[in-house]
Amino acid sequence: MMTKTYLPPVDSIERKWYVIDAADQRLGRLATEIAQIIRGKNKPTYTPHMDTGDFVIVVNADKVAVTGKKGEQKIYRRHSGRPGGMKTETFDQLQNRVPERIIEKAVKGMLPKNALGRQLFTKLKVYSGPTHPHQAQDPEVLKIDTIPTGGK
């Protein structure tokens, strides 16, 4: 006898808000943890084709760290759509200009590339400083313990 797959009713999904401090965290390790929370993979009711995840607020995005020479060598590209419109920036340049975009881009790359991924991405709120405007949601502080690597 086959058992049916459990589908959580949409109105029974509880959404929590978490605050994560990105200061001195490794970019990739932080982004994977954030993506799993947004996706809902940390819950027993996880369903791959449904939005069962929670909201994540990231503060101190301007203090996120990378190892090795990625500060000078990691390149972020964007294109205006016009001929010759490719713009490139290093990690350090983008961190000085728009530090929120670094974490947003890292997490977005770990979400599904479809309508569900675009919906999940709206649940990520990134701020460069230590403050955020989401106090009314009573967010829970989430401590991410990443294992320090031998990098700089």
Side-chain angles (χ1 to χ4, degrees):
M1 182 175 172
M2 291 183 59
T3 59
K4 289 191 171 187
T5 302
Y6 170 73
L7 288 176
V10 177
D11 56 345
S12 72
I13 298 171
E14 291 187 24
R15 308 218 187 274
K16 295 175 79 177
W17 285 72
Y18 293 106
V19 174
I20 297 175
D21 188 0
D24 299 324
Q25 297 283 341
R26 301 289 182 259
L27 175 62
R29 293 175 186 269
L30 177 69
T32 54
E33 293 290 329
I34 293 169
Q36 287 185 357
I37 294 167
I38 289 174
R39 192 92 202 269
K41 286 190 166 190
N42 58 339
K43 295 181 175 183
T45 58
Y46 169 69
T47 309
H49 64 277
M50 290 180 69
D51 177 7
T52 58
D54 298 318
F55 290 85
V56 175
I57 304 162
V58 180
V59 294
N60 290 322
D62 54 343
K63 295 180 177 71
V64 73
V66 290
T67 58
K69 296 182 180 179
K70 291 186 198 85
E72 305 92 41
Q73 293 178 349
K74 183 168 177 56
I75 295 177
Y76 291 89
R77 294 181 175 96
R78 65 186 196 280
H79 201 287
S80 67
R82 309 276 301 168
M86 178 68 77
K87 304 287 184 199
T88 59
E89 281 182 294
T90 65
F91 176 88
D92 289 338
Q93 291 169 338
L94 188 59
Q95 195 169 29
N96 289 333
R97 195 172 66 87
V98 191
E100 301 91 357
R101 196 166 297 163
I102 292 170
I103 294 176
E104 288 173 356
K105 225 170 149 55
V107 172
K108 190 171 190 172
M110 297 178 185
L111 295 176
K113 285 24 171 210
N114 53 24
L116 176 63
R118 291 187 292 274
Q119 179 187 346
L120 293 171
F121 185 67
T122 62
K123 294 167 35 173
L124 174 66
K125 316 294 182 191
V126 184
Y127 300 98
S128 60
T131 60
H132 62 85
H134 302 286
Q135 293 300 334
Q137 283 74 25
D138 194 27
E140 180 181 323
V141 175
L142 190 65
K143 181 78 173 127
I144 304 274
D145 293 324
T146 57
I147 300 168
T149 57
K152 296 175 184 171

